[in-house]
Amino acid sequence: MTRAGQLTKIMWSEPMSSLADKWNFENLLSREDYDLNDDSRPGQRGVYEQQVKAIAEGIRSSDRPYLGTLVVGMEWDRAFVDIEEIEEVMPGVTLVKVTVREGAPPIWLVDGQHRVFALGRVWAQVKDADEGDALVVRQNIEQSATEMTLLLEGDPDILSTLFIKMASTKTIDPSLVAVMDKANTQNRLGQYVIKNSTLCRGRIGYLPDAVHKRRDAKFSSLYKAAAVRSAAAAIAGVGVRDRTPEMRESHLSAIFKKRVAETGVSGEEILATIGAEVVELLDYAFEHVPGWREISSGTLTVPEFRATYLHSAAAGLHVIANTIAAARMAGVCPRKTVDALAELPWQRDALQTTGPDEKEGTPENQSHIFFEGTLAKTVWDQRAMINRVSASGATRAGYEAAISHVLRHIAAEHPELKEIASDATFTELGLMARKRGPGRPKKTVPATAA
């Protein structure tokens, strides 16, 4: 038994054959795909078959089938789990006997699900082998053991956060981090918005689409959770000052601290207040901006929206979010700003003819009437003999240029909203660098005597 601060850890080695037979998801271990709407237990990212196959092949082909340490966790309910200390081996390390009684809380896998699936698959294929390569694999497994670490912890949120910290064998999708990790302000704000916004309800992806579809066959991802997290932070006051997660967190924390100082309420209350403000504005946009409006009314599906509208890409979401943020910063009505956004040609096929094309077989040059070069890129499809418009991804250069264009256009078309395109608003939003002082004077080269 050892500790990590307040966390108690039990470590032992388990024969790999026992691991395959007993420490699997049909017997001792539990796992669930992470579910944003269920806070009662920790969850895992989806299982990637390609990764399971790669690990299984490594076990089959090696005479040193090392799996690394598997980490599991369970609630330490002392009515079901006894720890008898036998001997202190060294300071902080104690030999113990652990008894887990029937009826104990489930044991959740924290790190190692792909390895557990892979070992179980290989063992099922070779455990009865008595000749050939399969026998060799069986003998290698029978001669091997795997280190196990049991985390005794009662808070499922902490187990989820520990999973994020432990899962280093494969980069975790930022969208899963956004909904699982509650360790920073931007994630908690994003989670509030995803859970409470009508725009997001049942439409936000944070696991592989196949996993979402196992729960709901009609599921289609409107946006990824990481994009919604960024949009929420932007509306809260960060704008585009989020070139790194650390920058986003720093700016958002400063906004929260300022609101706490102004109101005297707790940080959690401010989180709910700011989250509700963001949700209210996003949902107003959901009901009024073309494309979103049709999804809201049930006359357009998410796949149809993605095929038809430019703001189906994360970059378009950023443009809408930062335009709303600019309105809040400028002190003008965000709802009127959303109404102005709704006037823009968001459809992919909103093209204009710019002149004859010199290329043979193409009748004329066309481009998107408003977003060409920012959210839209028009190309000639030689096979179909038509111009096609593709939506850009979440490239910063593209969506920042689009935000600037949108703000200046709205300011010109709606004089009562002109402050959204002022230098002060652009500076606070992060589209314009803050003016600096004169700085150090330039050095001059002394004149030399003739």
Side-chain angles (χ1 to χ4, degrees):
M1 179 178 69
T2 63
R3 296 187 185 279
Q6 300 301 309
L7 180 68
T8 298
K9 302 181 294 176
I10 307 295
M11 297 176 288
W12 75 98
S13 290
E14 187 76 22
M16 283 180 69
S17 57
S18 171
L19 185 67
D21 281 332
K22 299 176 182 177
W23 289 87
N24 54 50
F25 301 117
E26 288 73 39
N27 294 301
L28 295 177
L29 293 182
S30 297
R31 75 164 296 284
E32 294 284 348
D33 294 321
Y34 185 77
D35 188 345
L36 180 64
N37 298 312
D38 185 354
D39 294 328
S40 65
R41 43 85 174 164
Q44 286 276 23
R45 63 186 174 199
V47 176
Y48 294 83
E49 176 61 21
Q50 184 177 2
Q51 189 174 354
V52 174
K53 287 181 178 179
I55 297 172
E57 181 57 32
I59 295 172
R60 277 191 292 264
S61 61
S62 175
D63 58 1
R64 293 171 172 80
Y66 175 66
L67 288 185
T69 301
L70 298 181
V71 183
V72 299
M74 71 177 299
E75 180 182 353
W76 189 358
D77 187 335
R78 287 168 173 78
F80 296 98
V81 180
D82 286 340
I83 299 178
E84 177 188 344
E85 298 189 13
I86 297 174
E87 179 183 0
E88 184 179 61
V89 179
M90 61 183 71
V93 181
T94 306
L95 181 65
V96 298
K97 176 183 177 181
V98 180
T99 302
V100 181
R101 295 189 177 87
E102 185 176 0
I107 301 176
W108 296 97
L109 187 67
V110 177
D111 184 49
Q113 62 175 349
H114 291 88
R115 286 170 282 166
V116 170
F117 277 119
L119 176 61
R121 182 177 300 180
V122 175
W123 182 242
Q125 295 168 349
V126 304
K127 65 179 180 179
D128 296 324
D130 54 13
E131 61 181 2
D133 292 341
L135 175 60
V136 174
V137 175
R138 172 189 163 188
Q139 291 172 337
N140 285 332
I141 291 176
E142 288 175 335
Q143 294 168 7
S144 304
T146 295
E147 291 71 44
M148 302 282 292
T149 297
L150 170 65
L151 310 178
L152 290 172
E153 172 59 58
D155 188 338
D157 281 350
I158 292 179
L159 287 179
S160 292
T161 300
L162 288 169
F163 159 72
I164 294 292
K165 294 179 179 179
M166 286 296 302
S168 58
T169 57
K170 180 180 176 64
T171 302
I172 305 175
D173 189 323
S175 290
L176 185 55
V177 175
V179 297
M180 284 185 70
D181 187 6
K182 298 175 175 61
N184 58 39
T185 306
Q186 60 185 298
N187 287 346
R188 294 200 302 275
L189 177 62
Q191 290 159 20
Y192 182 97
V193 171
I194 290 170
K195 287 182 177 181
N196 292 281
S197 170
T198 306
L199 167 70
C200 300
R201 193 167 299 151
R203 303 183 182 94
I204 302 305
Y206 52 88
L207 293 168
D209 284 350
V211 177
H212 284 293
K213 286 184 179 295
R214 282 202 295 270
R215 295 180 186 159
D216 179 4
K218 297 181 179 179
F219 176 85
S220 186
S221 176
L222 179 58
Y223 299 107
K224 288 289 189 179
V228 177
R229 174 185 61 186
S230 298
I235 296 173
V238 173
V240 295
R241 298 174 299 160
D242 61 347
R243 283 165 175 78
T244 66
E246 292 75 21
M247 286 180 63
R248 183 189 303 123
E249 183 69 15
S250 175
H251 288 304
L252 191 61
S253 294
I255 291 167
F256 273 55
K257 288 176 182 177
K258 182 180 178 182
R259 294 281 288 268
V260 168
E262 291 172 346
T263 61
V265 302
S266 70
E268 284 304 312
E269 289 176 296
I270 289 299
L271 171 67
T273 299
I274 293 178
E277 293 169 0
V278 173
V279 166
E280 188 271 330
L281 291 170
L282 272 180
D283 284 349
Y284 183 82
F286 185 47
E287 294 173 353
H288 291 82
V289 175
W292 284 3
R293 179 179 60 213
E294 286 71 26
I295 295 175
S296 175
S297 64
T299 59
L300 191 73
T301 66
V302 170
E304 290 169 342
F305 168 73
R306 295 181 68 85
T308 308
Y309 289 90
L310 290 171
H311 52 306
S312 61
L317 173 63
H318 295 333
V319 171
I320 294 172
N322 279 281
T323 301
I324 295 172
R328 285 161 58 92
M329 293 171 183
V332 301
C333 179
R335 289 194 172 209
K336 290 183 178 179
T337 304
V338 170
D339 293 340
L341 276 172
E343 298 171 1
L344 299 180
W346 294 98
Q347 297 87 344
R348 291 177 188 245
D349 60 0
L351 301 179
Q352 62 183 348
T353 299
T354 56
D357 198 330
E358 297 177 357
K359 296 180 181 179
E360 185 177 353
T362 57
E364 52 196 8
N365 278 332
Q366 289 188 310
S367 62
H368 194 272
I369 196 169
F370 190 86
F371 287 112
E372 187 68 33
T374 57
L375 297 185
K377 180 180 180 181
T378 306
V379 295
W380 177 253
D381 186 334
Q382 187 65 40
R383 177 174 295 180
M385 299 297 287
I386 58 173
N387 282 293
R388 293 190 185 277
V389 178
S390 61
S392 67
T395 58
R396 181 170 292 274
Y399 67 73
E400 286 191 359
I403 295 165
S404 178
H405 183 36
V406 167
L407 294 179
R408 296 185 191 280
H409 174 82
I410 292 176
E413 294 294 319
H414 300 271
E416 73 277 15
L417 303 176
K418 66 179 181 179
E419 285 304 311
I420 65 172
S422 68
D423 286 355
T425 301
F426 271 51
T427 300
E428 188 173 355
L429 194 64
L431 290 174
M432 183 180 292
R434 295 185 183 276
K435 292 182 179 179
R436 299 182 179 180
R440 184 180 300 176
K442 294 182 179 179
K443 292 183 179 180
T444 58
V445 179
T448 56

